[in-house]
Every structure is written in structure tokens, then in C-alpha cells.
Amino acid sequence: MVMRSSPLPRMSRRGRVTVGVLVGVFVLFTLLGWGVNAWTDWLWFDEVHYTGVFSTVLTTRLLLFLVVGAAMAVVIGGNLYLAYRLRPLLRPHSSEQQTLDRYRMALSPRIGIWITVISVVVGLFAGLSAQGRWDTWMLFRNAQPFGTKDPIFNIDIGFYVFQYPFYRYLLGVGFTAVVLAVIGSLAVHYIFGGVRLQGGGDRITNAARAHLTTLVAVFVLFKAVAYVLDRRALLLSYNEGAKVYGAGYADVNALLPAKEILGYISIVVAIAIILFSNAIIRNLVWPGVSLALLGISAVAIGGIYPSAVQSFEVNPSTLDKERPYIKNSIEATRAAFGIDKVDIKAYPGVSQPPPASLATDTSIVPNIRLLDPQLLSETYTQLQQARGFYNFGDKLDIDRYNVSGNTQDYVVGVREINYRTGLTAQQSNWLNRHTIYTHGYGVVAAPANRVCNEQPYFVSGFLGDEGSDGCQSATEEIKTSQPRIYYGEQMEDGDYAVVGSRGNGSNAEFDRPTGNNEQYYTYDGTGGVPIGSFVRRLLYTVKMQETNFLLSEAVNDNSKLMYVRNPRDRVAKVAPFLKLDGDPYPAVVDGRVVWIVDGYTTAATYPNSERVNLQSVTSDELTGSGAVVAQAREEINYIRNSVKATVDAYDGTVKLFEWDDQDPVLKAWNKAFGGNLITPKAEIPQELSDHLRYPADLFKVQRDLLARYHVSEPNEFFSGQDYWEVPNAPDDPDRGQKQPPYYLMTQLPGQDDPRFQLTSAVTPRGRQNLAAIISASYVQGQPKLEALELPDQSVVSGPVQVHQQMTNATDVRGQLSVLAADGKATVQYGNLLSLPFDNGMLYVEPVYVKSNQQNAYPLLQRVLLSYGDGSNAVLASNLEQGIKDLVAKGDAQRQQAGQPPSGQPEQPPPPQTGDQPPAMSPELTAAAQRVSAAIDEAKAAQESGDFTRYGKALTDLEAAMDAFQAAQRAANNNRPVNNTPTPTPTATAPPPTTTPSAPAG
């Protein structure tokens, strides 16, 4: 006798209660955490007056969760229940069925509960996945026309950007639902005998066959829909033959009709599966044959045929076949990334001696930026810190201001609290960190083209000690009515502040030091969430996991809590649909300090457009350092700088201003949030507009694409001979990091007046000479991209090349070695500026020296200049002297070439007097002896280790060298031209310079 298997053992009552309690506690804490986060988020959005964003996003996510989750649960649950209802009442006796009896006995009494649990779990996961697609749904629902149609299907671009992604998602949900339904139904049919693996006769009942084959037919119908969408997706694919994105010759002429044919075949196969399985033959042989034929057709028609067309028709004459499709990609890419209107002008780029006009120029030379925001942070911190807990970040910013009727660029830094490393252990306790040290103070600015004693000349951000230093203006030139910084770049998660009156009339917040005293302050702005009530304090005790909200006397009825204090994070929370520039910057607008954040709208489904990795194309030498945040690793093929956002540094107010009023993606988002989320461009205040700048990350993306897509003719594009590339950082090219673009207030050839613009040099692909200068600026509120393209045969050096030539020049290399002081100091190079001038190229590179002593900071001790290439390199103590030296070199080269010096008529060459060079004048001889003596003293001081003596010796050495150069220029002007060079002190001693020790902290 065969013994029947016993049913599955039942859990004891105590076990069921324990499991129920554990599940209940888990659900309770999960819901509690979600509820606390939702409530506090609502309070935060209410503070910034954007509750519409919170409610719209939350409602959309909940609806998607419920609708998709419920739909998935109904599909799965319905099919499981149908499979159970279609179970056979009589099952043949077999060992297989006897084995399954125990499972049937366990499931049958509670089949409804099991089906419900499985359906709910599947629906839960489906709903969680769906709520993450809230942005896709909102764009789909609020789609806007682009007004441009694709060249293949003649469909508006808006379909691809707004509707195609959602259709793809729905199709994916449909496939998932059918596959899970087939698996679940098959399992139920097997357990309850509808499908058997053993025994004689039919191994599947008619009911089970009808159910399962119908599901398979639905799957095949979904495949037919997928083929329809695949046809559109060809415009988003990569054309390997032409090396561009978009449909190619084989796609349009082979794969496109193949997809259409496969779509029709899929419909026929779906019908055949249902008919042959249930109406005609009533078995699975012909349905299996139909599916096999569909697979064979997909391989033959959708794979082999297009490959054959590519191999035998396209590859032998790729350019002829792909020319129109390459043109489609060029036009689409240029339009999608906003580079279709770039103004490319030819620039001679001649190689000539430095022109005399450098000395009299009033448009470019006076505005040359010497201060490098990348290197000056330590300088600002040491000179303007005042207290150890203040900090300016790892990188400063560039902006322009009109002071006394003159507009120029300034290096700007915000004096913030350094919560990471600035506070001592005592200062870092909860009370000090969150209620005392709540804010920074002041915007410190210095003209970018002015140097005072090798350091910046500060004009703002004083702490009450105006006029105390010769390198500081007597009064604030950039005035702020509210200099306190409660919201800043250095504030991260956890850096919250509790502000408000303590109730006893005293000020508790540290405000700023003034002389030997310290002033305190009580915040009276509109920022912060009120937390005076017990319920609010309890709420934030849970959120922040900090009991002091309930226990500390610093938190009272007047208290307000400031959190999410980083400007970039605040904008991201208010406008979650934007990609944000990695480098927000501060500006003084109408007396208040505001952070300006550039916002981008992007897409990844613009047809025929090049797809780029946003993180890769925006990464350079500065990315990830200081306040320059790396972009997310995301593929995009459309971008617009559609929004200019501001965050008030005192009260945290966030404002979103429309910048690109033609962007359909921004219009869709604005409509999705009620139509009033974005302030129209016409309402941007003029004071703010004066400080808007072309965003760096957008420029990097456009620069990377212009390197190829400045070529608009398909033949030339396919050959790739005229491609450019972004050079590596000139001072360390082996690291493989790109040279960052730089902001300048300058006037480039073809421009009517100086502009504040972002510029970058590019080189030919695979070479180091200069190919073009790309610039971006705003003209009358509209973006303007320009490029000065040099001839292919140009020999003007590129950034990496000219840096190497300048630093290796004979009369420069030795001076740089002296600056390094035998390893006791570090030479740092600032931005290498490439400035078109007089049909040639002027290169300017500031040279900073930082002592290796503790708390030392970089000093601007020299300026490297070159015109044309590194053979004209000069290293001067300041820009004015460097320009004079360059002009002198140009005069000397013109004289050697038999041309008149600058400003003089051409004269016949003097008669030759012999091969010996003329003797040095007495003045020059005396100056050379003075230099030699100064060098000896500097060496002796260095060996003695007496830094005071060494600093004085280097100062004397600089003065001696300046006197020698002046005597040398006088001698050159007073003697006839001779091709034999005059001896200089470098023949007997290292070239002099200064390396004063940096003052300690």
C-alpha cells in the first residue's frame, strides 16, 4: 500500500503571533519613518513656498504606485485564480500526482489567501518601480511640440522626447506581467494536475492549454507592438558604419522594412497559436512550429538580411551610402545641443614677433586676469579668515562688477563656517555647532587683474577693519546690506542650524570678530522652519535622531530650524527635474548675497543626435575639487540651460527664472506643475541679469561636441581630418585631465566691446598646435557661441606645447629653479590664458610660489608671457614689465630681420665692425656685478638656513635683476645691431628671482 504524504505542518499559535508582531513592528517603523520624512518635507517646502512641487510629485507617485501596482496584482491574481478554477476534477493516479498531494492539501484550504499574498507582493514591487517613473509620466501627460520633424518618419521630435519613453515603459510592464502570469499559471496548473510530466494520454488539459496558449499569444502581440516601437528606435541607435547616431542606410533600407514585416508576422503567429491550439488541431505542435518560425524570421529577416546589406552594399562604399544619414546626424546633434548657430570666423594665427601694439592696447591687455580662483583659496583664507573656523572653500569664483563706472572681473569668495575641520573639539559640541556657529559673514572680492605685494587687493568683505592694510581698499567697493551667510556651498547634510531669540533678550549666535571683540547676533529673517511647538520638536527629534531638540534650552518657542542649506541641494529639491551646474557662484544683487545656480533640462531620446555621457564630457582638472560637483553618469542627447535659479544666502529663498523661453521640455515641466512654477524671463531683475554668466558645464558639453560637429559637410565629417580635441591641463598633461575653460572680461576679434565670456583653446586631434579659440557669452540676454578657427597649416603653439616651451626656455628655466628654492617651495601655475591679439596669439600664465612652511599660501611672484610660441617667452615680476619685455623681444627680432623697431622708420643697417661683440657699458657691467653679488648672498643665506636673511637676499636679488634688465635695454637701444648676443649674468650664475617665505598663518 502506498502511503499518502502528510500535509505541511502548521505553525503553532505562538509562532503565528510572534511573526505577526514582528511584521507589525516592521510595518509600523517603516510607516513612521515614511510619515516623518513626508511631514518634514512638507514643512520644508512650505518654508520655501513650493508646496505645489511636493504635493504634485507625491500625488503622482502615489497614483502610479496604486494604478500600476493594482493592475499588476489584478493580472497576476486573475490568472492564478483562473488556473485554479480550470483545474481538473479527476486526476490520474501516478507517483507524480501523489507527490503533489501534500502541496494541494496545503494550498487548497487557503488558496484565496495565497493568491492574494502573491498578487500583493508582485503588485507592491511593480508599484514601487512605477512610482520612480513619475517624471516620465508627467512629461508624457504634458507633452509639448518641438515644431521640428524627424527626417525619416516625419514625426514631431516631441513624440521621441515625451511619449516614446513612456510607451517603452508600458510595454516593459506588459511583458513582465505576461511572463509572470505564464510562470504562475503554469505552476498552478502543474500542482493541480492541469499539466503533467508523467502518465499516459494528454499531458495538458484543454482548459490549461487554452489558458497558457492565450497568454503566449498575448506575449507575441506585445512583441508586434515592440517591433513598431523598434522602428522608431532606429533613430536613437548607433550607426556603427558611419560612426554617428541615428538610422543609417542598412537601417532604413533593410532593418526598417524587416521590423514591419516581423510585426505582421507576430500578429499572424499570435492568431495561429490560439486557433491551432484550441479550435483546429488542439495540440501544441503547430503553436510551437509558429513560434519557431517567428524566431527564424527574426534571425533571418531582422538579423541576417540587414547584416548582408551592410556587408555587401554599404561597407564597400560607406560614404556614398551613408552621406544623407551622416548629414541627418550632424544637423540633429547641432540642434539638440544648441551649437547650430555657432559663429565660426577664420583667424590668421600668424607667427610673428610680438607686436609693439601690446604696450598700448586698451581692450585686452588691461583686462588680463592674473588671479587664479583655483589657487587663491588658501590666500583668501589666510588673509581674510580672521578666525580658524572660517573658510572660503577649495575654489573661488569669477564674476564681474561695475565699480566707479568701470566693469571688470573679480575673484569672489564667501566667508563661510567650516563645519568639517574648522571647529575645535570644544566648538564641535551640539550647542556650539548648531546654535552658536550658525553663519558666515561677507563676500570677499579682489580685482582679477590687480596684484598688491604678490597677493590680491581686497575691495569687499571686511570685518570692520577697513583701510588697515595697503592691499585693501579704504572702504567697501562692493557693498552688501546683509552680509551674513546662512546658506552656502560648504554646508552639507547634518549642518543644520537652530536660530531665533533665546527669550532673554541676548544674542547667542556668533556674528563676526571686530578688532579684539566679538559680536553676536539673533537671526530675524524669514528662513527656517518654526519648531517652537512640542510636536515640531518631537518630529525633528525623530528626523534628526537628536534628543537635544526636546532637552536643550536653546530650542524654545521662538526657534527656527534651517536645514538643506547647500544652494545646489535646495534648488534640486525645489526643481527635481533639473540637472544642475556643478559650480554655483555667489553674487551681490541689490545689496544681498545670492547664489546663482544654472539649471539644465535634458533628454536622451532626441532622434539622430549624438549621445554623450554627461559626467565624462564635463569632467576636467577642477571637477570634484572644492565646490565643483561632478555630474551624474547619465547618457543624454539634448540639453538646454533653461533655468537660472537663485538662493538667498540669508533667508534661503529659492527663485526659478526662465532663461530659454523656447525650450519645449521646460514648458512641459512648467505645465506639469501648474504653469506658475517658473518665473518668466522678462521678469528677471536687471541687477541679477548683470551677473548671469554662460554656465561652465553646458560649455564643456558644447565644446566637446564642437570638436567634431563644427564640421558640417558629410564628406569631411566622415574623414575626421578636421576634428579638434580639448587639450589636457598644460602644467600636468600626463594626468589626462582636460584643461578647464576660464572666464574672462575681454574683447576678442570681431566683438564690438569687452564681454564677460567663457573661453577655451582646442587643438587638432592628435596634435598640440592651436586649432581654435571657442568662446561663449550673452549678448542682449541671448547665448552667443563663437569660434576663431586657425588655418590648418598654422604653427601657433597650443596650451600644452606653449607651456612646455615657456618653462624650458633658457632664460626662464633657471629662474623657475630659483623660485623653487631647492625644494623649499613649490611653483604653481595658474590659468594659461590664450588671447588672440593682432592676428597672433598672446599667452599669459601667472606663476605662484608656495613655501613648504606650515600655513603658507601661494604668492603671485612671476608672470609667464609668450607671443606666437615659446621662443618668445619672458618671465617677469609683473604683467606690465612682461609686456615691455615682450615688445623689446619683438623689436630685437625685427632688427635682426632688417626691419625697423616699433614706431621707427626703416633705416639701412649699420656697417659691420668685426666678429667680436661690443664691450658692455660701465652701467651694464656694474649691474651685472651687483647681480652676481646678490646671487652669492642668496646662496649663502639659503645654506645657513636663516630664512629672514634669505628673504632679504632674494629681495635684493630681484632689485639687482631689475636694474640689470633696465641697463641691458638701455644698452640695446644705444648701440648698433649685432647678430652676436650680448653676454648676460646667466653665463656665470643662475638667473635671479625672488622667493620670499610665505608668512605663517
Side-chain angles (χ1 to χ4, degrees), residues 220 223 227 262 265-266 269 287-304:
V220 175
K223 189 62 180 174
Y227 282 129
L262 289 172
I265 292 177
S266 298
V269 168
V289 172
S290 300
L291 287 174
L293 289 176
L294 178 60
I296 294 172
S297 300
V299 172
I301 301 176
I304 296 177

Short mmCIF file of all heavy atoms in Angstrom, two decimals, residues 220 223 227 262 265-266 269 287-304:
data_model
loop_
_atom_site.label_atom_id
_atom_site.label_comp_id
_atom_site.label_asym_id
_atom_site.label_seq_id
_atom_site.Cartn_x
_atom_site.Cartn_y
_atom_site.Cartn_z
N VAL A 220 3.16 37.41 -27.75
CA VAL A 220 3.57 37.62 -29.15
C VAL A 220 2.96 38.92 -29.69
O VAL A 220 3.61 39.64 -30.47
CB VAL A 220 3.15 36.40 -30.00
CG1 VAL A 220 3.46 36.66 -31.48
CG2 VAL A 220 3.88 35.15 -29.52
N LYS A 223 4.97 41.62 -28.64
CA LYS A 223 6.18 41.65 -29.47
C LYS A 223 5.92 42.41 -30.77
O LYS A 223 6.80 43.13 -31.27
CB LYS A 223 6.63 40.22 -29.78
CG LYS A 223 8.00 40.13 -30.44
CD LYS A 223 9.09 40.68 -29.55
CE LYS A 223 10.44 40.59 -30.24
NZ LYS A 223 11.51 41.25 -29.44
N TYR A 227 7.94 45.69 -32.11
CA TYR A 227 8.53 45.91 -33.44
C TYR A 227 8.16 47.29 -33.99
O TYR A 227 8.96 47.94 -34.65
CB TYR A 227 8.09 44.82 -34.41
CG TYR A 227 8.82 43.50 -34.22
CD1 TYR A 227 8.12 42.31 -34.08
CD2 TYR A 227 10.21 43.47 -34.20
CE1 TYR A 227 8.79 41.11 -33.90
CE2 TYR A 227 10.89 42.27 -34.03
CZ TYR A 227 10.17 41.09 -33.88
OH TYR A 227 10.85 39.92 -33.70
N LEU A 262 8.18 41.74 -39.53
CA LEU A 262 8.14 40.93 -38.32
C LEU A 262 6.94 41.29 -37.45
O LEU A 262 6.38 40.44 -36.76
CB LEU A 262 9.44 41.12 -37.52
CG LEU A 262 10.68 40.49 -38.14
CD1 LEU A 262 11.93 40.90 -37.38
CD2 LEU A 262 10.56 38.96 -38.15
N ILE A 265 4.12 39.43 -39.02
CA ILE A 265 4.29 38.00 -38.75
C ILE A 265 3.88 37.68 -37.32
O ILE A 265 3.25 36.66 -37.04
CB ILE A 265 5.74 37.57 -39.02
CG1 ILE A 265 6.05 37.65 -40.53
CG2 ILE A 265 6.00 36.16 -38.50
CD1 ILE A 265 7.49 37.31 -40.88
N SER A 266 4.24 38.58 -36.38
CA SER A 266 3.89 38.36 -34.97
C SER A 266 2.38 38.31 -34.78
O SER A 266 1.86 37.48 -34.02
CB SER A 266 4.48 39.47 -34.09
OG SER A 266 5.90 39.46 -34.18
N VAL A 269 1.23 34.96 -36.12
CA VAL A 269 1.62 33.88 -35.21
C VAL A 269 0.71 33.85 -33.98
O VAL A 269 0.30 32.78 -33.52
CB VAL A 269 3.10 34.03 -34.81
CG1 VAL A 269 3.45 33.09 -33.65
CG2 VAL A 269 3.99 33.73 -36.01
N PRO A 287 1.38 25.42 -32.65
CA PRO A 287 1.81 26.64 -31.97
C PRO A 287 3.32 26.70 -31.77
O PRO A 287 3.94 27.76 -31.93
CB PRO A 287 1.08 26.57 -30.62
CG PRO A 287 -0.13 25.78 -30.91
CD PRO A 287 0.29 24.75 -31.91
N GLY A 288 3.92 25.53 -31.45
CA GLY A 288 5.37 25.50 -31.31
C GLY A 288 6.06 25.79 -32.63
O GLY A 288 7.08 26.51 -32.68
N VAL A 289 5.49 25.22 -33.71
CA VAL A 289 6.06 25.49 -35.04
C VAL A 289 5.95 26.97 -35.37
O VAL A 289 6.88 27.58 -35.93
CB VAL A 289 5.34 24.63 -36.10
CG1 VAL A 289 5.78 25.05 -37.50
CG2 VAL A 289 5.63 23.15 -35.87
N SER A 290 4.83 27.60 -35.01
CA SER A 290 4.63 29.03 -35.28
C SER A 290 5.66 29.88 -34.55
O SER A 290 6.24 30.81 -35.11
CB SER A 290 3.22 29.45 -34.88
OG SER A 290 2.25 28.72 -35.59
N LEU A 291 5.88 29.54 -33.28
CA LEU A 291 6.87 30.29 -32.52
C LEU A 291 8.27 30.09 -33.09
O LEU A 291 9.08 31.03 -33.14
CB LEU A 291 6.84 29.85 -31.05
CG LEU A 291 5.63 30.32 -30.24
CD1 LEU A 291 5.67 29.69 -28.84
CD2 LEU A 291 5.62 31.83 -30.13
N ALA A 292 8.56 28.87 -33.53
CA ALA A 292 9.87 28.60 -34.14
C ALA A 292 10.04 29.40 -35.42
O ALA A 292 11.11 29.96 -35.68
CB ALA A 292 10.02 27.10 -34.40
N LEU A 293 8.98 29.45 -36.23
CA LEU A 293 9.05 30.23 -37.47
C LEU A 293 9.25 31.72 -37.17
O LEU A 293 9.97 32.42 -37.88
CB LEU A 293 7.77 30.03 -38.29
CG LEU A 293 7.61 28.64 -38.94
CD1 LEU A 293 6.25 28.54 -39.64
CD2 LEU A 293 8.74 28.41 -39.95
N LEU A 294 8.60 32.21 -36.09
CA LEU A 294 8.80 33.61 -35.70
C LEU A 294 10.24 33.85 -35.31
O LEU A 294 10.84 34.87 -35.69
CB LEU A 294 7.86 33.96 -34.54
CG LEU A 294 8.00 35.38 -33.98
CD1 LEU A 294 7.70 36.41 -35.07
CD2 LEU A 294 7.07 35.59 -32.79
N GLY A 295 10.84 32.92 -34.55
CA GLY A 295 12.24 33.08 -34.17
C GLY A 295 13.15 33.04 -35.38
O GLY A 295 14.09 33.85 -35.49
N ILE A 296 12.89 32.09 -36.29
CA ILE A 296 13.72 32.00 -37.51
C ILE A 296 13.57 33.27 -38.34
O ILE A 296 14.54 33.80 -38.88
CB ILE A 296 13.33 30.75 -38.31
CG1 ILE A 296 13.68 29.49 -37.52
CG2 ILE A 296 14.02 30.75 -39.67
CD1 ILE A 296 13.17 28.22 -38.15
N SER A 297 12.34 33.77 -38.45
CA SER A 297 12.11 35.00 -39.21
C SER A 297 12.85 36.18 -38.60
O SER A 297 13.42 37.03 -39.30
CB SER A 297 10.60 35.30 -39.28
OG SER A 297 9.90 34.25 -39.89
N ALA A 298 12.83 36.24 -37.26
CA ALA A 298 13.52 37.34 -36.59
C ALA A 298 15.01 37.31 -36.87
O ALA A 298 15.65 38.35 -37.10
CB ALA A 298 13.25 37.28 -35.09
N VAL A 299 15.58 36.10 -36.87
CA VAL A 299 17.01 35.98 -37.15
C VAL A 299 17.31 36.28 -38.61
O VAL A 299 18.24 37.02 -38.94
CB VAL A 299 17.51 34.57 -36.77
CG1 VAL A 299 18.95 34.37 -37.22
CG2 VAL A 299 17.38 34.36 -35.26
N ALA A 300 16.51 35.71 -39.52
CA ALA A 300 16.78 35.85 -40.94
C ALA A 300 16.45 37.24 -41.46
O ALA A 300 17.27 37.90 -42.11
CB ALA A 300 16.01 34.79 -41.73
N ILE A 301 15.24 37.69 -41.15
CA ILE A 301 14.79 38.98 -41.69
C ILE A 301 15.36 40.15 -40.90
O ILE A 301 15.77 41.16 -41.46
CB ILE A 301 13.26 39.04 -41.71
CG1 ILE A 301 12.68 37.89 -42.55
CG2 ILE A 301 12.77 40.37 -42.24
CD1 ILE A 301 11.17 37.82 -42.53
N GLY A 302 15.38 39.99 -39.58
CA GLY A 302 15.83 41.10 -38.75
C GLY A 302 17.31 41.10 -38.46
O GLY A 302 17.83 42.10 -37.95
N GLY A 303 18.01 40.01 -38.77
CA GLY A 303 19.43 39.95 -38.47
C GLY A 303 20.31 39.71 -39.68
O GLY A 303 21.16 40.52 -40.03
N ILE A 304 20.09 38.58 -40.35
CA ILE A 304 20.96 38.19 -41.45
C ILE A 304 20.81 39.14 -42.63
O ILE A 304 21.81 39.60 -43.21
CB ILE A 304 20.66 36.74 -41.87
CG1 ILE A 304 20.97 35.78 -40.72
CG2 ILE A 304 21.44 36.37 -43.12
CD1 ILE A 304 20.64 34.34 -41.02
#
